[in-house]
Amino acid sequence: MTTQPVDFRSDNTASVAPSIMEAIVAANRGTAPSYGNDETTRAVDRRLSDLFETEVRVFPVATGTAANAIALSAMTRPWGGIYCHETAHIQTSECGAFEAQSGGAKLQLLPGAQYRITADRLAKAIADAGVGQPHKPQPAGVSVTQATDLGTVYRLDELAAIGEVARANRLKMHMDGARFANALDTLGCTPAEMTWKIGVDVLSFGATKNGCMSCDAIVAFDPGIAHELVFRLRRAGHVWSKMRFASAQLLAYVEDGLYLQLAARANGLARRLSEGLAALPGVKLHVPVEANEVFVEMPDAVITRLEAERFLFARRGPKLIRLVCRHDGTEAEVDQMLAATRRLLPLAANVTALP
Amino acid sequence: MTTQPVDFRSDNTASVAPSIMEAIVAANRGTAPSYGNDETTRAVDRRLSDLFETEVRVFPVATGTAANAIALSAMTRPWGGIYCHETAHIQTSECGAFEAQSGGAKLQLLPGAQYRITADRLAKAIADAGVGQPHKPQPAGVSVTQATDLGTVYRLDELAAIGEVARANRLKMHMDGARFANALDTLGCTPAEMTWKIGVDVLSFGATKNGCMSCDAIVAFDPGIAHELVFRLRRAGHVWSKMRFASAQLLAYVEDGLYLQLAARANGLARRLSEGLAALPGVKLHVPVEANEVFVEMPDAVITRLEAERFLFARRGPKLIRLVCRHDGTEAEVDQMLAATRRLLPLAANVTALP
Amino acid sequence: MTTQPVDFRSDNTASVAPSIMEAIVAANRGTAPSYGNDETTRAVDRRLSDLFETEVRVFPVATGTAANAIALSAMTRPWGGIYCHETAHIQTSECGAFEAQSGGAKLQLLPGAQYRITADRLAKAIADAGVGQPHKPQPAGVSVTQATDLGTVYRLDELAAIGEVARANRLKMHMDGARFANALDTLGCTPAEMTWKIGVDVLSFGATKNGCMSCDAIVAFDPGIAHELVFRLRRAGHVWSKMRFASAQLLAYVEDGLYLQLAARANGLARRLSEGLAALPGVKLHVPVEANEVFVEMPDAVITRLEAERFLFARRGPKLIRLVCRHDGTEAEVDQMLAATRRLLPLAANVTALP
Amino acid sequence: MTTQPVDFRSDNTASVAPSIMEAIVAANRGTAPSYGNDETTRAVDRRLSDLFETEVRVFPVATGTAANAIALSAMTRPWGGIYCHETAHIQTSECGAFEAQSGGAKLQLLPGAQYRITADRLAKAIADAGVGQPHKPQPAGVSVTQATDLGTVYRLDELAAIGEVARANRLKMHMDGARFANALDTLGCTPAEMTWKIGVDVLSFGATKNGCMSCDAIVAFDPGIAHELVFRLRRAGHVWSKMRFASAQLLAYVEDGLYLQLAARANGLARRLSEGLAALPGVKLHVPVEANEVFVEMPDAVITRLEAERFLFARRGPKLIRLVCRHDGTEAEVDQMLAATRRLLPLAANVTALP
């Protein structure tokens, strides 16, 4: 039985990566112009333009919800519709932030296997949307979550097909990259290949879940969106006066590929965990594990026992739990979880067998 | 002539106070529940409830603009009006953040000597506002800036009179305390005396300008406002997943009265600077210096020469400049500025005398 | 073959009932206070309070969309959710008017047989909604459409069950009564029985489709909602300066039960039409006809031929059409339609049989 | 002493002009496509394009507030500023409708003699606005009220100068023409000369005050604005299903110059009234009478006596009243008012003389 809790609750419970913390401390020297007019912030634009192999504008923001809601609102007028998967974080878990920031635009929900939308569904939805009809929200954009909230990852050709439909219908394309680095690690492609090369106009570049302290970023490939963001962010209170401390985090985050190393570690732990669990009788992966999240079904009695033994995770259904692996997780924790599950499964079977 | 720039641009250019940075580093231990459910964040509520001598709810946010716009929007329905001074930051410098967050409520501007509104003006404005008339925004709140954007400070009796008018007319009262600690130092009163005891329902508790890194806070005295803020902040993307790092800053900020010490230092430098300047012929204080900002008029030629010598400050008119003293400023810098001004004044007089 | 078009497009294409037009003309006498302070408008409040057997506030508005969007926005804060059927007009056909007027609140869609939601589904949705969780829109209201957009009608016990769930969870209840009179005719109950007695807090009282010229009305049973509407309507430009001409329409509309007579006529025509069509081989009612709309499936070739013969109606699918009967429709038109369909069905069968 | 009230309260209290009422009745024939797809509505576009000597799009709306708020919101993004006179109706009397419909954009108030803004003030305000600065709402448009709410009228060269400043700074220009016809009568120019020829992009074309029943119109000269209006109006519930009855009003309103005849009559009455009053000792015109409104100062005792004798008008200050002349007013009423004032003035003088 464990005595210290083993934590698979979320990547949001993680610590700050050491070199990122060092960069914050190092940025604390002398004075610097405020509101992003400092040298560190300018360096972020240059550094991420290098990383993405094209000129980008980077806007550090406090949260992923801010990144999503404000990036999306810069893609649409208030009477527009943004297509997304019916399980997208922007629909399920942000309290209507997009609707608030966009002045009441609409999310248009699409179904899709393994929590991914498809180009075909998108094309059909646009065809049926009533373009030009005053009674209907006008198709304005599409948002893909990469990796998805269920831990699956779009293939590049799937993204490219969606991007093509978007472009053909003059929709803008957004990527919710709360777990951008995790997806990148899985696909083994470049940031450019997973974004503007397949049609992404604006990216929520996740950083907090993967080792930063208090910032994510909007990366704008489209200059028109970038222009709007300047004012939209100011009105949402998302322009830090001491921006240098956010920018320092972002610089350290991508320095020498740190962001990829951190994601690879989390992904590797998830792989180890999911493979171990899948091998157990009575345990079933809910969805393929392609990033750092493991959704797994097991007997309720086992779940309850694991909780009692201070394993921390989220329930997502009567027999469904979510386990998230972090950049600062350990193989020992994974193995503890595996051992406990293995140990508890037979007991649970007995419990179930009782009259 | 200076070689290093001497920086009086803003308190936003300041560094993070050492003990606050240490607290951030110390908070980086293990995992913690996200979105403010952590122990550090709970401690902030308790600690500030002690500080304010009443039960408060504290909401750390990324910026002072977020604090102002979202706190104010929780005081009014979209058809409401918020009274404030015509030079208030919320009117002049936040790109309509309040209007955006409130769904189009209105700021109702009041004049007032030395950048302070008065209870009498407020009462008269409410009386003339058309309460109950559908054609008119309905009086909903009042916002005072303490210290004001021009560096003046409301006396407690002035605030109390405003609070009384607000209460008598069922308006909520907000204090923009971007420089709360500076005002507190000036008045020598307690936080309670300057807030809820004179009627403040919700406070933008400034921290970034005075030594924090990346957060300010909304302090809600009114439970109804606190309830709204939970959802309003989420929709504006102002609920950090790793909240503990913001909360750690706030705890350190008030620990052993640090916030007051930092403010006292900035105020002291401003006093030294303003007294020195006021003693020079041809130099005139634009407004009494009651906090850490010095607005001063001097010949344009002197201003230009000071800029050329790399003194950094903001122009606010043909002969008007703003000098802001920081928690991490030095007497040496102040004295450099005084010496340079003293030296340049006669030269400028000559320049002006030329045909 | 017809020569004059026979029009089943919509009840929005109808004329104004003669006595309503007479009332408009009669109202054009002398001067009258503006913005609803006139005697005619006051009489509407009294007259509809009698009709509904309780004190109501009536707000004449230009359109049903205005009535729906603004009534609903008075039931919720911007972070609220309103439950409705996934085919509700507010979701499918009002271009996001609710989202616009509410500042970005969300419609929460429920499935339901025959286009009606059920109390059970509603209760479950509320239970799963995450009440109190900042990440989730908070359940605020429910909207039922009576008659539905597909021409079905809720039974009183179904409405009462929904109302009970609403009340138990402190949700407000809205009825989109664009075809209120048609439903009333079908149920044979009183206006009170179909509204506040089963829990309705605010009603979009349809009038334009059923014989008025240019106005519908919001009928508020809840004084809090009524208070908000005063300001919300003004800000949406829905307070006529010459209100008396709208009020005159509403008075004439309910005078001596005219609204029920008009609805009974439209319903009767729909019954005649649907029974005649249902008796034809190869024709199938898509959904029971319970008001004045007939959704019917027939071979595409017949539909095309009917269109060519200038029968006017709306296509709603490859083999699905909508036929709407109006207060000013005639049995002759219905019979023309029946005769033509009967005549064309065999021809179409032959066409289909061709290689 | 009068027995019937003599009504100078507002032009909103007026009746509908007989030929307009006849047109409404005549439009009530057969069925017609809904939501503005009918022939009458198409004819309005053509007829007003003729009238304005350029291609326009016309959008009938229920009220002048709807016309103003929605037209203006189509000129700006939410972070924009619209310049207008500090006494403009959009600022003082529409309950923040513009702020609501625009998503929180700002009205930027300008002073100006006789309630008119000037090109110089506008140019200076734009120069000082902080174009490109994220902290400041971005100049987006200017709104002029013609005639002003105080009954003064801009000269064409004044308007042209404002239009030039707008164009030079890429601002859109709106005219609030609630009393458009009255101004046109005063200037004796063409509708084209007073609108697009001097730079107006979109016009609130007042009709209700001047003889229509329940509609005003937005006339869009700019196709981009017209495109937005299609959706903005739908979302605000301002697209009538039975549009033909609004369109019939507008057609009749401009038929054979009726709108000008009605305005000429109201203006003539105002001239007669103001000249008569100005000739009386102790009575003073507050502002030149250039349309159909008379603002006049007289002893308070006279005002009170006039009220007691059932003369109806609006008080606007301790000694200031507003008298509005209507298209259906009479010379007899004007003469009654003059006679009564003449009779009461000496009595009032005595009253005042009493201790």
Side-chain angles (χ1 to χ4, degrees):
Chain A
M1 201 181 291
T2 62
T3 48
Q4 286 291 95
V6 175
D7 190 347
F8 294 103
R9 282 175 296 186
S10 171
D11 26 19
N12 282 324
T13 67
S15 63
V16 178
S19 72
I20 293 173
M21 189 58 93
E22 282 160 26
I24 293 171
V25 173
N28 197 25
R29 219 172 359 212
T31 64
S34 53
Y35 293 111
N37 295 312
D38 61 286
E39 266 316 302
T40 315
T41 302
R42 286 210 194 91
V44 172
D45 269 351
R46 286 194 305 272
R47 183 67 192 85
L48 266 69
S49 292
D50 286 351
L51 188 71
F52 282 95
E53 304 171 50
T54 190
E55 197 173 338
V56 300
R57 287 284 304 279
V58 184
F59 301 89
V61 291
T63 66
T65 293
N68 285 339
I70 299 173
L72 287 167
S73 70
M75 284 167 48
T76 182
R77 307 305 298 269
W79 53 90
I82 300 286
Y83 294 94
C84 66
H85 195 275
E86 57 196 4
T87 62
H89 202 261
I90 52 176
Q91 163 66 8
T92 65
S93 307
E94 302 186 353
C95 201
F98 163 67
E99 289 83 354
Q101 298 301 319
S102 66
K106 265 183 106 80
L107 295 179
Q108 304 285 23
L109 307 181
L110 299 175
Q114 295 191 346
Y115 310 100
R116 301 198 288 264
I117 63 171
T118 65
D120 284 354
R121 285 270 194 182
L122 175 62
K124 185 168 172 359
I126 297 170
D128 293 347
V131 172
Q133 288 181 27
H135 307 296
K136 305 287 185 180
Q138 297 298 295
V142 58
S143 175
V144 292
T145 313
Q146 179 77 322
T148 72
D149 290 289
L150 276 284
T152 54
V153 169
Y154 285 89
R155 304 300 170 251
L156 286 186
D157 59 345
E158 293 170 333
L159 291 173
I162 292 167
E164 220 163 285
V165 171
R167 240 182 343 271
N169 291 278
R170 277 178 297 175
L171 269 64
K172 297 288 182 191
M173 183 171 179
H174 167 255
M175 179 175 281
D176 176 356
R179 296 185 178 93
F180 183 81
N182 303 84
L184 214 55
D185 171 66
T186 298
L187 294 185
C189 66
T190 67
E193 286 166 349
M194 203 167 79
T195 54
W196 62 273
K197 288 195 176 175
I198 50 85
V200 171
D201 295 293
V202 62
L203 167 70
S204 294
F205 183 63
T208 296
K209 286 183 202 293
N210 194 33
C212 278
M213 186 180 95
S214 59
C215 82
D216 294 279
I218 303 175
V219 177
F221 303 99
D222 176 308
I225 289 174
H227 176 76
E228 281 210 12
L229 288 173
V230 170
F231 301 101
R232 288 191 177 276
L233 288 166
R234 187 73 188 88
R235 281 161 68 85
H238 278 288
V239 185
W240 274 296
S241 54
K242 294 183 176 172
M243 187 72 89
R244 57 173 154 164
F245 294 100
S247 299
Q249 294 177 55
L250 293 171
L251 281 182
Y253 181 58
V254 298
E255 182 74 17
D256 290 330
L258 175 65
Y259 74 118
L260 283 175
Q261 298 158 30
L262 297 171
R265 176 160 193 171
N267 283 1
L269 292 172
R271 217 157 35 235
R272 184 186 189 95
L273 179 60
S274 61
E275 286 168 4
L277 287 171
L280 300 177
V283 175
K284 192 176 145 233
L285 295 184
H286 175 68
V287 65
V289 172
E290 301 176 350
N292 65 323
E293 294 188 289
V294 179
F295 286 80
V296 67
E297 298 165 20
M298 58 176 69
D300 190 67
V302 180
I303 296 174
T304 306
R305 294 290 290 267
L306 286 167
E307 288 173 334
E309 296 192 8
R310 302 190 64 198
F311 287 94
L312 304 176
F313 47 79
R315 280 185 184 259
R316 286 299 168 93
K319 299 167 57 177
L320 178 63
I321 62 173
R322 185 188 77 163
L323 303 160
V324 188
C325 294
R326 302 182 319 274
H327 74 87
D328 60 357
T330 64
E331 300 191 348
E333 287 174 313
V334 167
D335 294 344
Q336 266 186 286
M337 178 76 187
L338 290 174
T341 311
R342 194 178 303 113
R343 171 168 47 79
L344 292 167
L345 276 165
L347 304 177
N350 294 347
V351 167
T352 314
L354 292 178
Chain B
M1 202 181 292
T2 64
T3 49
Q4 286 290 96
V6 174
D7 190 348
F8 293 104
R9 283 175 294 186
S10 173
D11 26 20
N12 282 323
T13 68
S15 62
V16 178
S19 72
I20 293 173
M21 189 58 93
E22 282 161 25
I24 293 172
V25 172
N28 196 26
R29 219 174 356 213
T31 64
S34 52
Y35 293 112
N37 295 311
D38 61 285
E39 266 316 302
T40 316
T41 302
R42 285 211 195 91
V44 172
D45 269 353
R46 286 193 304 272
R47 184 68 193 83
L48 266 69
S49 292
D50 286 351
L51 188 71
F52 282 96
E53 304 170 51
T54 189
E55 198 174 338
V56 300
R57 286 284 304 279
V58 184
F59 301 89
V61 291
T63 66
T65 293
N68 285 340
I70 298 172
L72 286 167
S73 69
M75 284 167 47
T76 181
R77 307 306 298 269
W79 54 88
I82 300 286
Y83 294 93
C84 67
H85 195 273
E86 58 196 3
T87 62
H89 203 261
I90 51 175
Q91 162 68 8
T92 66
S93 306
E94 302 186 354
C95 200
F98 164 66
E99 288 84 354
Q101 299 300 321
S102 66
K106 268 182 104 80
L107 294 178
Q108 305 285 25
L109 308 181
L110 299 174
Q114 295 192 345
Y115 310 101
R116 300 197 289 262
I117 63 171
T118 64
D120 284 355
R121 285 270 194 183
L122 175 62
K124 182 167 175 359
I126 297 169
D128 294 346
V131 172
Q133 289 180 26
H135 308 295
K136 303 287 183 182
Q138 297 297 294
V142 59
S143 176
V144 292
T145 312
Q146 177 78 322
T148 73
D149 291 289
L150 275 285
T152 53
V153 168
Y154 285 89
R155 304 300 168 250
L156 286 186
D157 59 345
E158 293 170 333
L159 290 174
I162 292 166
E164 219 163 288
V165 170
R167 240 182 342 273
N169 292 277
R170 278 180 295 174
L171 269 63
K172 298 287 183 191
M173 183 172 180
H174 167 255
M175 179 177 282
D176 176 356
R179 296 187 178 91
F180 183 81
N182 303 85
L184 214 54
D185 170 68
T186 298
L187 295 184
C189 65
T190 68
E193 286 166 349
M194 203 168 79
T195 55
W196 63 274
K197 288 195 173 174
I198 50 85
V200 171
D201 295 291
V202 62
L203 166 70
S204 294
F205 183 63
T208 296
K209 287 183 201 293
N210 193 35
C212 278
M213 187 181 95
S214 58
C215 83
D216 295 280
I218 304 177
V219 177
F221 304 100
D222 175 309
I225 289 174
H227 176 77
E228 283 211 11
L229 288 174
V230 170
F231 300 101
R232 288 191 176 275
L233 288 166
R234 186 73 188 89
R235 282 162 67 87
H238 278 287
V239 185
W240 275 295
S241 55
K242 295 183 176 172
M243 187 72 90
R244 57 173 152 163
F245 295 100
S247 300
Q249 294 176 54
L250 293 171
L251 282 183
Y253 181 59
V254 298
E255 183 74 19
D256 291 330
L258 175 66
Y259 74 117
L260 283 175
Q261 299 157 30
L262 297 171
R265 177 159 191 169
N267 283 2
L269 292 172
R271 216 157 34 234
R272 184 187 188 94
L273 179 60
S274 62
E275 286 169 3
L277 287 170
L280 300 177
V283 175
K284 191 176 147 233
L285 295 184
H286 175 68
V287 65
V289 172
E290 300 175 349
N292 65 323
E293 294 188 291
V294 179
F295 286 80
V296 67
E297 297 165 21
M298 58 175 70
D300 189 69
V302 179
I303 296 173
T304 304
R305 294 290 290 270
L306 285 166
E307 288 173 333
E309 296 191 10
R310 303 189 63 201
F311 287 94
L312 303 176
F313 48 78
R315 280 185 184 259
R316 286 297 167 94
K319 301 166 57 179
L320 178 63
I321 63 173
R322 184 189 77 163
L323 304 160
V324 188
C325 293
R326 302 183 317 276
H327 74 86
D328 61 356
T330 63
E331 301 192 347
E333 286 174 315
V334 166
D335 294 343
Q336 266 186 288
M337 179 74 186
L338 290 173
T341 311
R342 194 178 303 112
R343 171 168 47 79
L344 291 168
L345 274 166
L347 304 176
N350 293 348
V351 168
T352 315
L354 290 178
Chain C
M1 199 181 293
T2 63
T3 48
Q4 286 291 96
V6 174
D7 190 347
F8 293 102
R9 283 175 295 186
S10 171
D11 27 18
N12 282 324
T13 68
S15 61
V16 177
S19 72
I20 294 173
M21 188 58 91
E22 281 160 27
I24 294 171
V25 172
N28 196 25
R29 222 176 352 215
T31 64
S34 52
Y35 293 111
N37 295 312
D38 61 286
E39 266 317 301
T40 315
T41 301
R42 286 212 194 91
V44 172
D45 269 352
R46 286 194 304 272
R47 183 68 192 83
L48 266 69
S49 292
D50 286 350
L51 189 71
F52 283 94
E53 303 171 49
T54 189
E55 198 174 338
V56 300
R57 286 284 305 277
V58 184
F59 300 89
V61 292
T63 67
T65 294
N68 285 339
I70 298 172
L72 286 167
S73 69
M75 283 167 48
T76 181
R77 307 306 298 267
W79 53 89
I82 300 286
Y83 294 93
C84 66
H85 195 274
E86 57 196 3
T87 61
H89 202 262
I90 54 176
Q91 163 66 8
T92 66
S93 306
E94 302 187 352
C95 201
F98 165 65
E99 289 83 353
Q101 298 301 319
S102 66
K106 267 184 105 79
L107 294 179
Q108 305 286 24
L109 306 182
L110 299 175
Q114 295 192 344
Y115 311 101
R116 301 198 287 264
I117 63 172
T118 65
D120 284 355
R121 286 269 194 183
L122 175 63
K124 185 171 173 357
I126 296 169
D128 293 347
V131 172
Q133 288 181 26
H135 308 296
K136 304 287 185 181
Q138 298 298 294
V142 59
S143 176
V144 291
T145 312
Q146 178 76 323
T148 74
D149 290 291
L150 275 285
T152 53
V153 168
Y154 286 89
R155 303 300 168 249
L156 286 187
D157 60 344
E158 294 171 333
L159 290 174
I162 292 167
E164 220 163 286
V165 171
R167 243 184 338 275
N169 291 278
R170 275 179 299 175
L171 270 63
K172 297 289 183 189
M173 183 173 182
H174 168 254
M175 178 175 283
D176 176 357
R179 295 185 179 92
F180 183 80
N182 303 86
L184 213 56
D185 171 66
T186 298
L187 294 184
C189 66
T190 68
E193 285 166 351
M194 202 167 81
T195 55
W196 63 273
K197 288 195 174 174
I198 51 85
V200 171
D201 295 292
V202 63
L203 166 71
S204 295
F205 183 63
T208 296
K209 286 184 201 294
N210 193 34
C212 278
M213 187 179 94
S214 58
C215 82
D216 294 279
I218 304 176
V219 176
F221 303 100
D222 176 308
I225 289 175
H227 176 76
E228 282 211 11
L229 288 174
V230 169
F231 301 101
R232 289 191 176 274
L233 287 167
R234 186 74 189 87
R235 281 161 67 86
H238 278 289
V239 185
W240 275 296
S241 54
K242 294 182 176 173
M243 187 72 90
R244 57 172 154 164
F245 294 101
S247 300
Q249 295 176 55
L250 293 171
L251 282 183
Y253 181 59
V254 298
E255 182 76 16
D256 290 331
L258 175 66
Y259 74 117
L260 283 175
Q261 298 158 30
L262 297 172
R265 178 162 192 167
N267 283 2
L269 292 172
R271 214 153 41 231
R272 183 185 189 97
L273 179 60
S274 62
E275 287 169 4
L277 287 171
L280 300 177
V283 175
K284 192 177 146 231
L285 294 185
H286 175 69
V287 66
V289 172
E290 300 175 350
N292 64 322
E293 294 189 290
V294 178
F295 285 80
V296 67
E297 297 165 20
M298 58 175 72
D300 190 67
V302 180
I303 296 174
T304 305
R305 295 290 291 268
L306 285 166
E307 288 173 333
E309 296 191 9
R310 305 188 63 198
F311 287 94
L312 304 176
F313 48 77
R315 278 185 184 259
R316 285 298 168 92
K319 297 166 61 179
L320 179 63
I321 62 173
R322 185 188 76 162
L323 303 161
V324 188
C325 294
R326 303 183 317 275
H327 73 86
D328 60 357
T330 63
E331 300 190 348
E333 287 175 315
V334 167
D335 294 345
Q336 264 187 291
M337 179 74 186
L338 290 174
T341 310
R342 195 178 302 114
R343 173 167 47 80
L344 291 168
L345 275 165
L347 304 177
N350 293 347
V351 168
T352 314
L354 291 177
Chain D
M1 203 181 289
T2 63
T3 49
Q4 287 289 97
V6 174
D7 190 347
F8 294 102
R9 282 175 295 185
S10 171
D11 26 19
N12 282 323
T13 67
S15 62
V16 178
S19 71
I20 293 174
M21 189 57 92
E22 282 161 25
I24 293 171
V25 172
N28 196 25
R29 219 172 359 210
T31 65
S34 54
Y35 292 112
N37 295 312
D38 61 286
E39 267 315 302
T40 315
T41 302
R42 286 210 194 92
V44 172
D45 269 352
R46 286 195 304 272
R47 183 68 193 83
L48 265 69
S49 292
D50 286 350
L51 188 73
F52 282 95
E53 303 170 52
T54 190
E55 199 173 336
V56 300
R57 287 284 304 280
V58 184
F59 301 89
V61 291
T63 66
T65 293
N68 285 340
I70 298 173
L72 286 167
S73 70
M75 284 167 47
T76 182
R77 306 307 298 271
W79 53 91
I82 301 285
Y83 294 93
C84 67
H85 195 274
E86 58 196 2
T87 62
H89 202 261
I90 53 176
Q91 162 66 10
T92 64
S93 306
E94 301 187 353
C95 200
F98 164 67
E99 289 82 355
Q101 299 299 319
S102 67
K106 267 183 103 81
L107 294 178
Q108 304 286 25
L109 307 181
L110 299 175
Q114 296 193 345
Y115 309 102
R116 300 197 289 262
I117 64 172
T118 65
D120 284 355
R121 285 271 194 180
L122 175 62
K124 184 165 176 359
I126 296 169
D128 293 348
V131 172
Q133 288 180 26
H135 308 297
K136 303 287 184 181
Q138 297 297 294
V142 58
S143 176
V144 292
T145 311
Q146 178 75 328
T148 72
D149 290 290
L150 275 284
T152 54
V153 169
Y154 285 89
R155 304 302 168 247
L156 286 187
D157 59 344
E158 293 171 333
L159 290 173
I162 291 166
E164 220 163 286
V165 171
R167 245 184 337 275
N169 292 278
R170 277 180 295 175
L171 270 63
K172 297 287 183 190
M173 184 171 180
H174 166 255
M175 178 176 282
D176 175 356
R179 295 187 179 93
F180 183 80
N182 304 85
L184 213 56
D185 170 68
T186 299
L187 294 185
C189 66
T190 68
E193 285 166 350
M194 203 167 80
T195 55
W196 62 273
K197 288 195 174 175
I198 51 85
V200 171
D201 294 292
V202 61
L203 167 69
S204 295
F205 183 63
T208 295
K209 286 183 201 294
N210 193 35
C212 277
M213 187 179 95
S214 59
C215 83
D216 294 279
I218 304 177
V219 176
F221 303 100
D222 176 310
I225 290 174
H227 176 77
E228 282 211 11
L229 289 174
V230 169
F231 301 101
R232 288 191 176 276
L233 287 167
R234 186 73 188 88
R235 282 162 68 85
H238 278 289
V239 184
W240 275 295
S241 55
K242 296 183 176 172
M243 187 73 89
R244 57 173 153 164
F245 295 100
S247 299
Q249 295 177 55
L250 293 172
L251 282 183
Y253 181 58
V254 298
E255 182 75 18
D256 291 331
L258 175 67
Y259 74 117
L260 283 175
Q261 297 158 31
L262 297 171
R265 178 161 190 168
N267 283 2
L269 293 172
R271 216 154 38 233
R272 182 187 189 97
L273 179 61
S274 62
E275 286 169 4
L277 287 171
L280 301 176
V283 176
K284 193 176 145 231
L285 294 184
H286 176 68
V287 64
V289 173
E290 299 175 351
N292 65 322
E293 294 188 292
V294 178
F295 286 81
V296 66
E297 297 165 20
M298 57 175 72
D300 190 67
V302 179
I303 296 174
T304 305
R305 295 291 289 269
L306 285 166
E307 289 173 331
E309 297 192 7
R310 306 190 60 201
F311 287 93
L312 304 176
F313 48 78
R315 279 185 184 259
R316 287 296 168 96
K319 297 167 59 179
L320 177 64
I321 63 173
R322 184 189 77 162
L323 303 161
V324 188
C325 294
R326 304 183 317 274
H327 73 86
D328 61 356
T330 63
E331 300 192 347
E333 288 174 315
V334 168
D335 294 344
Q336 267 186 288
M337 178 76 186
L338 292 174
T341 312
R342 194 178 302 114
R343 174 167 47 78
L344 292 168
L345 275 166
L347 305 177
N350 293 348
V351 168
T352 315
L354 292 177

